[in-house]
Amino acid sequence: MTKVDVQDKQEIIRATELTASNLRQLVTDKLRQNDTDASHLSVPDREELIELIAQILPAGNVTSFVLNSILNAKNRGITSTDSRMYISSLFKGLSILRDNAVYGMMFAGPATVLAGYNMLLKLAGVNDLPEGVWQFYVEFGLREDTARHQSETLGFNQAAAALKTAPTDAEMLTSWVLASMWLIRDYDHLLANVWEEQVRLTKIAELTGLSKLHRTWRSLTPYNLPIGQHEIGLSSYRRHIFDRFCQEQLGNVGAAQRANFSANWTNAKEQKLRQQMLRNYQKQLSIRSYLEPSEYNEKRVPIPASDLHIGIIHKECYYLLKLLDPALPTAPALIHKQVQEILAGAGEQADIDLLLTKIPRTNQAELRKLLSPQHVESLAMLRKAPILINWDQASQNLPLSQIRDSHRGVGDHTLTLFRTDTSMVFDFSHIFFDGPWAMAVAEMMTNEAIRHMNLRERMHATTRSTQSPIPLSLKAPGSLVKASKKFNRNTNNISAEEKVSITPIHDVRRMLANTTRPRIHVTVNDILVMYRSFFNQVYQPSPAILQSLDRLIKQRDHKALALAVLQDFQERATTNPSLLIPIDATQINPADRIFPSTFRNPLPDLHKNHQRTFELLYKANHKRFGKKSVLQEFQQARTEYLSMLGAFASVMHRYRKIATDGQSASTMAIRLIAGLPGSMQKLVDGIPGQFTVMNDAIKGEEVFSNVGQVAVGSSLSRFASAKDDNDKKILVWGIMTDNDSQLCISLRDFRPPITMLALMGHQELAQQITQDFLNSYVVNLMKFIQEFKDILQAPKA
């Protein structure tokens, strides 16, 4: 360790000790004042929490100031505004240490501060953040351009191709504008649908014992109106179907249980509480807002109804259309006329947007000061459009990350749509949308656009309106171009995508459940996570990749870079990655949205056991190995292997249960390991005995987001997940299963050597490396599944 590193470490130790001392004194003073809330923790628990907070937030007086403010709040009531202020104060307090090399190795970005803040709330006796942990996290930790996720639908283009007379470009764009206006108009009603469904089904299950209600309803949820139905809106129709579903389900229980639920659900006090919770939920997730970046977080600013617009990008120019009620008889014709004007025009091409999306949100306020009053006004107008539609056609053959690497606003809005030759791609802000809900919105918007396209004769009605689209001026001045180079993050769009049939995985799941005693139940995601946990040990770069890197090594200017890539391959070959897995929280409380939970496989020997068992099976199938004796050895190995697999399934089940209870990831990890059978605990001796927030709970190396099976008949075809603003996230997995039972996997690559490879002009090679990694994962996963089938199907001794 260098002299500088030693000094840095000593500085952090001093700051940690000062922070702990200040916190300890504050709590002691409160106890002397007979503050009962300050004594809710036992002395050992309180002391442990203080030490942990001091390690995470060694900001001295700032940390104690925040705790004191929380302790002095009336009735411990902390508003959203208070929380944002406190968290920003903690960021400022840590600003010096953040540049410190030693602390920088531990600091995991906004998640660290949020974790520490949550601990301060716990120390003070405050149970929760006003809008839930996830809402606060996304506003602090999912701000940047990489924090948007994408979905793709094929339905609109398929419907257009089936029409006898092909729709015009203007008719298709008008359909999407009307669908966007519908979404903004009806969004509160759609949120009410979601909130009501989750809360009512949870209450029915709680009071009647009915299970699988949420899963059954998901399979029946309508995302479209019946053919020919135009008199009722989707939200009203969905509510009608849901009410009927609940009545049918309640018909399966006794009269006493039905009466119990009815009494609870119609209770005046409970109804008033639910109405307030619903209003808070609608306010929390409203897309009638824009994002205002500050130094540390995003502020959601409501857009007055009279100021709402839809943005259109055509030929790299921006236009705004005033929001109309799409149900008005004159709306289709008026929008169609404006769309025709846009498609025929030639405005000022934009590039301010392309510059700002590559600049950290923290620095945007500073750079926007360099803009002229006209540019400032245009950006202010652009904020009035929650939805942008980029009508400049892209190729559907490109990965989603490259399709969206075009004009897409400046990051202040909720949603951008991109047209391709055969699909529509949706680019969602994670501050407003989580993966499953975003996919539902994409499906509903697609169906609404199809409905308007099928009614396109309305677009040609006579209209006397002279309302014209509003062009925006977004051509960057030289001063901005120059200044932006100082802050450019050089974000990459390296990604890969692959599809494979999910049927073999379902076959294995059924075989496991039917042939094992006790039965082993695993989900598709359990298998995918398990295989990801040891895939690094399996992966071998293809000969083509190695040859390309070998050619780079022979070039003096790129030798070090190529060697760094090879070294990265070698170092990761033995790692068991820590995966950040989003867990759906809506069944517990819709406002909680997501429980982000970090998981590292506690059974690293699973793959070795698999290999050994399969090798013994291979030998047992060849007489020259002495079939009978080897078969007996195989039987014993299979029993041990299945026992270990059963333990893994149990771990994953408990992991999900603890996560959905809102427990911390560190506590979750401890409980998972502690709860294993005694015989299995020996297998995890290598896992650290203490799980700190710094090591496992918030430093997940990879995002592993599986949004599951799409609705029956859905045209959703691809999904790519979002990366938070933590630079330590190196891979982002996005997984869904489409209507054709294809497992669709996307992989966004942020491994430092691969990113540097692209930055140094080798984008194509970087892309090939990522695709090779994903292809190998899929191929070897299917090989593993087939081997596992063979193991299960092998005869017993």
Side-chain angles (χ1 to χ4, degrees):
M1 183 178 289
T2 67
K3 184 178 180 180
V4 174
D5 288 337
V6 172
Q7 292 174 344
D8 287 345
K9 188 172 183 180
Q10 291 173 345
E11 179 186 351
I12 291 175
I13 292 173
R14 286 194 295 269
T16 301
E17 291 174 347
L18 174 62
T19 302
S21 177
N22 289 348
L23 294 177
R24 201 174 287 114
Q25 186 63 49
L26 255 179
V27 174
T28 301
D29 290 345
K30 285 292 178 181
L31 289 172
R32 287 172 180 167
Q33 298 169 17
N34 293 320
D35 189 318
T36 57
D37 286 335
S39 61
H40 66 289
L41 295 172
S42 66
V43 174
D45 288 343
R46 187 165 62 242
E47 186 60 28
E48 182 180 354
L49 193 55
I50 287 173
E51 290 293 337
L52 190 53
I53 293 170
Q55 292 173 31
I56 295 174
L57 303 174
N61 292 331
V62 175
T63 307
S64 56
F65 160 77
V66 171
L67 177 61
N68 188 52
S69 299
I70 296 170
L71 287 168
N72 290 330
K74 185 177 180 181
N75 298 323
R76 299 290 191 269
I78 310 298
T79 67
S80 298
T81 302
D82 291 335
S83 288
R84 290 187 181 92
M85 179 182 70
Y86 297 151
I87 294 174
S88 294
S89 297
L90 292 171
F91 270 108
K92 290 176 182 177
L94 292 170
S95 59
I96 297 175
L97 288 175
R98 285 184 66 183
D99 295 329
N100 178 295
V102 177
Y103 185 68
M105 293 174 63
M106 301 185 298
F107 187 77
T112 309
V113 177
L114 184 57
Y117 178 64
N118 272 319
M119 292 178 185
L120 286 171
L121 293 177
K122 182 178 180 181
L123 185 62
V126 178
N127 293 325
D128 207 354
L129 292 164
E131 292 181 325
V133 173
W134 184 245
Q135 186 64 47
F136 270 79
Y137 178 67
V138 293
E139 292 177 16
F140 281 86
L142 282 153
R143 310 174 61 195
E144 304 298 345
D145 189 55
T146 55
R148 291 182 174 247
H149 51 100
Q150 298 80 48
S151 298
E152 178 188 55
T153 62
L154 306 174
F156 183 83
N157 294 73
Q158 292 170 344
L163 293 173
K164 291 182 180 180
T165 304
T168 66
D169 211 28
E171 289 171 342
M172 290 191 291
L173 178 52
T174 299
S175 299
W176 280 106
V177 173
L178 290 169
S180 300
M181 291 180 172
W182 163 81
L183 184 69
I184 294 174
R185 186 200 67 182
D186 279 14
Y187 200 68
D188 277 355
H189 300 301
L190 295 170
L191 288 177
N193 284 141
V194 173
W195 191 90
E196 168 84 11
E197 291 161 8
Q198 298 294 346
V199 171
R200 199 198 304 188
L201 291 179
T202 296
K203 182 60 68 174
I204 291 175
E206 176 187 325
L207 297 179
T208 67
L210 288 171
S211 62
K212 301 181 180 179
L213 290 174
H214 292 276
R215 183 188 304 175
T216 305
W217 171 244
R218 278 198 301 270
S219 68
L220 299 173
T221 303
Y223 298 101
N224 195 8
L225 290 170
I227 295 175
Q229 174 64 267
H230 306 299
E231 306 305 321
I232 184 174
L234 177 59
S235 58
S236 297
Y237 175 71
R238 177 167 170 164
R239 177 61 180 264
H240 170 72
I241 298 298
F242 177 67
D243 287 341
R244 189 172 65 191
F245 171 77
C246 289
Q247 291 174 3
E248 292 172 351
Q249 294 299 313
L250 287 169
N252 296 325
V253 300
Q257 290 175 305
R258 288 196 299 272
N260 187 24
F261 167 74
S262 179
N264 179 279
W265 195 251
T266 57
N267 178 276
K269 185 178 179 180
E270 291 294 325
Q271 285 182 330
K272 184 177 179 180
L273 178 61
R274 288 200 306 272
Q275 288 169 0
Q276 183 58 52
M277 292 174 67
L278 172 58
R279 285 193 294 269
N280 292 343
Y281 178 69
Q282 290 169 321
K283 180 181 178 182
Q284 174 184 337
L285 293 181
S286 173
I287 60 172
R288 296 186 174 195
S289 310
Y290 67 84
L291 298 173
E292 186 175 276
S294 66
E295 186 174 2
Y296 299 113
N297 73 308
E298 299 291 323
K299 180 182 178 182
R300 290 170 284 134
V301 181
I303 304 172
S306 59
D307 286 348
L308 287 164
H309 292 73
I310 298 295
I312 296 178
I313 304 163
H314 179 59
K315 295 182 179 178
E316 303 185 9
C317 306
Y318 281 79
Y319 304 88
L320 296 183
L321 302 183
K322 185 76 174 178
L323 187 76
L324 299 175
D325 183 344
L328 291 173
T330 57
L334 176 57
I335 297 300
H336 184 254
K337 184 176 180 180
Q338 292 177 294
V339 162
Q340 286 179 311
E341 189 175 339
I342 290 173
L343 297 181
E348 181 183 78
Q349 291 187 333
D351 57 2
I352 287 177
D353 56 336
L354 298 178
L355 289 173
L356 290 182
T357 52
K358 290 181 172 59
I359 294 170
R361 298 286 287 176
T362 297
N363 306 114
Q364 287 206 11
E366 176 183 347
L367 288 173
R368 293 186 192 198
K369 294 177 182 177
L370 302 175
L371 298 172
S372 69
Q374 184 183 15
H375 292 136
V376 171
E377 182 181 358
S378 286
L379 283 180
M381 286 295 297
L382 186 60
R383 281 179 160 177
K384 297 178 179 180
I387 300 176
L388 305 178
I389 304 173
N390 188 327
W391 204 245
D392 295 334
Q393 185 170 294
S395 170
Q396 200 254 351
N397 292 328
L398 294 172
L400 292 176
S401 64
Q402 292 185 27
I403 291 173
R404 56 97 54 186
D405 191 26
S406 180
H407 294 276
R408 55 189 182 276
V410 296
D412 295 344
H413 66 297
T414 63
L415 168 62
T416 306
L417 278 62
F418 297 88
R419 178 175 70 140
T420 80
D421 45 0
T422 59
S423 68
M424 188 66 78
V425 171
F426 301 75
D427 186 58
F428 294 94
S429 165
H430 222 319
I431 292 175
F432 297 93
F433 295 94
D434 300 310
W437 174 236
M439 294 175 67
V441 168
E443 184 70 17
M444 289 186 289
M445 283 190 73
T446 300
N447 291 330
E448 186 68 13
I450 293 171
R451 190 175 73 85
H452 284 292
M453 181 173 61
N454 289 332
L455 298 171
R456 55 187 165 150
E457 67 276 1
R458 300 182 182 183
M459 301 176 190
H460 300 282
T462 302
T463 176
R464 296 181 181 179
S465 175
T466 57
Q467 189 172 349
S468 295
I470 305 168
L472 300 182
S473 177
L474 294 173
K475 183 66 179 176
S479 58
L480 180 66
V481 175
K482 182 178 179 180
S484 67
K485 294 178 181 178
K486 175 183 176 182
F487 300 104
N488 196 320
R489 289 172 61 95
N490 294 311
T491 55
N492 70 68
N493 59 358
I494 304 168
S495 64
E497 296 172 354
E498 190 59 83
K499 292 189 177 185
V500 66
S501 173
I502 199 173
T503 302
I505 298 178
H506 282 311
D507 290 343
V508 160
R509 292 178 60 235
R510 283 189 290 268
M511 290 173 65
L512 264 175
N514 294 333
T515 61
T516 55
R517 296 294 183 273
R519 296 179 186 273
I520 297 175
H521 295 281
V522 293
T523 67
V524 170
N525 204 55
D526 290 344
I527 293 174
L528 298 178
V529 167
M530 179 179 67
Y531 193 74
R532 174 66 196 109
S533 70
F534 51 69
F535 172 65
N536 286 352
Q537 304 164 34
V538 175
Y539 175 65
Q540 294 291 330
S542 69
I545 295 297
L546 295 176
Q547 289 170 8
S548 296
L549 290 172
D550 187 55
R551 286 193 293 269
L552 274 188
I553 290 174
K554 295 175 181 177
Q555 301 177 26
R556 185 175 61 181
D557 293 343
H558 299 290
K559 179 178 179 179
L561 179 59
L563 290 174
V565 174
L566 290 171
Q567 182 179 355
D568 188 70
F569 289 159
Q570 184 176 2
E571 289 176 353
R572 298 193 190 283
T574 57
T575 59
N576 176 10
S578 176
L579 306 178
L580 185 68
I581 304 176
I583 303 294
D584 183 11
T586 56
Q587 292 185 30
I588 309 302
N589 178 9
D592 284 338
R593 299 176 53 179
I594 292 289
F595 292 132
S597 303
T598 306
F599 179 81
R600 192 190 299 274
N601 185 1
L603 304 172
D605 289 335
L606 259 172
H607 185 238
K608 291 180 181 178
N609 278 43
H610 173 86
Q611 286 182 310
R612 176 174 176 269
T613 305
F614 186 73
E615 287 171 1
L616 287 170
L617 174 62
Y618 177 83
K619 291 180 179 180
N621 286 332
H622 292 74
K623 292 181 180 180
R624 64 179 181 275
F625 292 112
K627 185 173 181 179
K628 186 174 181 179
S629 60
V630 177
L631 181 58
Q632 291 175 341
E633 190 177 355
F634 160 73
Q635 297 290 351
Q636 182 178 353
R638 178 168 64 179
T639 300
E640 294 175 359
Y641 178 35
L642 291 178
S643 175
M644 184 177 289
L645 190 66
F648 178 83
S650 177
V651 165
M652 291 300 291
H653 176 76
R654 295 188 60 191
Y655 160 79
R656 287 190 295 274
K657 177 65 173 66
I658 294 172
T660 53
D661 285 344
Q663 303 270 355
S664 70
S666 54
T667 302
M668 172 202 70
I670 293 172
R671 290 185 178 183
L672 287 174
I673 303 305
L676 284 173
S679 61
M680 300 306 300
Q681 289 183 359
K682 296 179 182 179
L683 298 171
V684 292
D685 285 342
I687 297 179
Q690 295 183 354
F691 290 79
T692 67
V693 173
M694 289 301 203
N695 286 338
D696 274 323
I698 56 180
K699 266 195 178 181
E701 302 166 82
E702 304 178 15
V703 177
F704 203 86
S705 179
N706 187 346
V707 293
Q709 173 75 52
V710 303
V712 175
S714 169
S715 71
L716 284 158
S717 56
R718 287 190 285 178
F719 163 70
S721 191
K723 172 190 174 297
D724 63 20
D725 306 337
N726 174 10
D727 291 335
K728 295 177 177 62
K729 296 290 191 305
I730 57 172
L731 293 173
V732 179
W733 301 79
I735 302 166
M736 62 164 261
T737 304
D738 67 16
N739 192 55
D740 297 322
S741 297
Q742 291 288 300
L743 193 66
C744 309
I745 307 177
S746 67
L747 180 64
R748 301 174 68 182
D749 197 340
F750 299 91
R751 289 175 289 181
I754 312 305
T755 299
M756 185 58 65
L757 197 64
L759 185 62
M760 297 300 291
H762 303 284
Q763 173 81 24
E764 185 177 350
L765 177 56
Q767 188 81 27
Q768 290 171 353
I769 289 174
T770 304
Q771 189 68 55
D772 180 70
F773 188 80
L774 179 57
N775 288 350
S776 179
Y777 174 83
V778 170
V779 169
N780 284 286
L781 170 66
M782 291 297 107
K783 179 173 177 286
F784 168 80
I785 292 296
Q786 184 56 55
E787 290 175 354
F788 195 72
K789 277 186 178 181
D790 294 342
I791 290 171
L792 290 174
Q793 291 173 335
K796 296 181 180 180

